[in-house]
């Protein structure tokens, strides 16, 4: 399952057809899946490998009580996402394959906040930093931010990058 320390290039063993993907929340340093991110350091720019989903690793195993106990009792594992061993939350194969394909492309891959239409958000960077409003729509890493003037019953919308908004 998981070794005592997380190696950068963990090989996930393929099990039988009954095996499924599950998300595991850990205290381990997680390297998979990784993305390359440009970082500024005073007078230079570096390309760093960072986890796409910090704190999470995906394991492929056939769910059983014994397997659950072995994984959950591994040092550094906080929990396997789900209610109990017999009702774990599966990560669909298609989603994991999509993440693998996106990571393989490599260019401009980044995590963006989980926001949906209707969420109340605050802009955290740029000229509009500090403004609060609602998300009207999300598409292709962009969010349509709506600021409403209640007294006038009017709104104004602007499209912003999804990474500059956070849920309130």
């Amino acid at each position: 399952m998981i070794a005592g320390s997380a190696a950068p290039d963990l090989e996930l063993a393929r099990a039988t057809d009954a095996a499924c993907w599950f998300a595991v929340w850990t205290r381990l340093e997680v390297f998979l899946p990784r993305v390359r991110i440009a970082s500024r350091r005073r007078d230079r720019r570096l390309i760093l490998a960072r986890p796409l989903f910090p704190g999470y690793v995906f394991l492929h195993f056939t769910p059983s009580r014994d397997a659950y106990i072995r994984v959950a009792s591994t040092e550094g594992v906080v929990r396997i996402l789900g209610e109990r061993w017999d009702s774990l939350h599966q990560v669909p194969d298609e989603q994991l394959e999509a993440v693998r394909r996106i990571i393989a492309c490599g260019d401009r891959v980044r995590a963006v906040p989980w926001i949906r239409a209707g969420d109340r958000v605050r802009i955290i960077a740029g000229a509009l930093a500090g403004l609060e409003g609602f998300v009207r729509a999300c598409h292709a890493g962009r969010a349509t931010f709506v600021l409403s003037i209640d007294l006038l019953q009017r709104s104004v919308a602007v499209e912003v990058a999804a990474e500059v908004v956070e849920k309130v």
Side-chain angles (χ1 to χ4, degrees):
M1 295 294 164
I2 300 176
S5 63
D9 295 313
L10 288 175
E11 291 291 324
L12 298 176
R14 295 278 179 191
T16 66
D17 289 339
C20 303
W21 286 102
F22 299 93
V24 178
W25 181 22
T26 72
R27 285 195 176 94
L28 302 172
E29 186 173 351
V30 180
F31 293 104
L32 290 177
R34 295 177 297 180
V35 293
R36 295 171 57 82
I37 298 174
S39 175
R40 294 189 98 134
R41 299 282 196 254
R42 293 189 180 149
D43 60 339
R44 59 194 162 128
R45 291 180 62 91
L46 299 172
I47 302 296
L48 303 174
R50 294 277 168 95
L52 182 60
F53 305 113
Y56 292 89
V57 63
F58 297 98
L59 296 179
H60 195 250
F61 66 96
T62 304
S64 70
R65 188 172 189 275
D66 290 338
Y68 177 85
I69 291 170
R70 279 197 315 270
V71 173
S73 64
T74 301
E75 185 177 338
V77 171
V78 175
R79 70 185 184 105
I80 304 172
L81 302 185
E83 302 304 317
R84 1 176 251 283
W85 77 266
D86 58 347
S87 60
L88 299 175
H89 297 305
Q90 292 184 29
V91 179
D93 290 338
E94 308 82 53
Q95 290 180 2
L96 259 290
E97 183 56 30
V99 169
R100 286 180 195 215
R101 290 178 60 192
I102 289 169
I103 297 298
C105 289
D107 291 347
R108 298 182 302 178
V109 175
R110 67 190 189 286
V112 295
W114 177 256
I115 56 172
R116 295 176 293 190
D119 286 348
R120 182 159 181 78
V121 295
R122 176 183 305 115
I123 297 179
I124 58 171
L128 304 176
L131 296 181
E132 291 186 15
F134 291 91
V135 173
R136 172 166 290 164
C138 294
H139 179 68
R142 308 283 296 168
T144 303
F145 173 81
V146 177
L147 174 67
S148 296
I149 308 299
D150 297 331
L151 180 65
L152 301 178
Q153 294 183 347
R154 299 284 189 264
S155 298
V156 62
V158 63
E159 191 172 280
V160 296
E163 61 262 15
V164 301
V165 298
E166 68 179 5
K167 284 187 181 181
V168 178

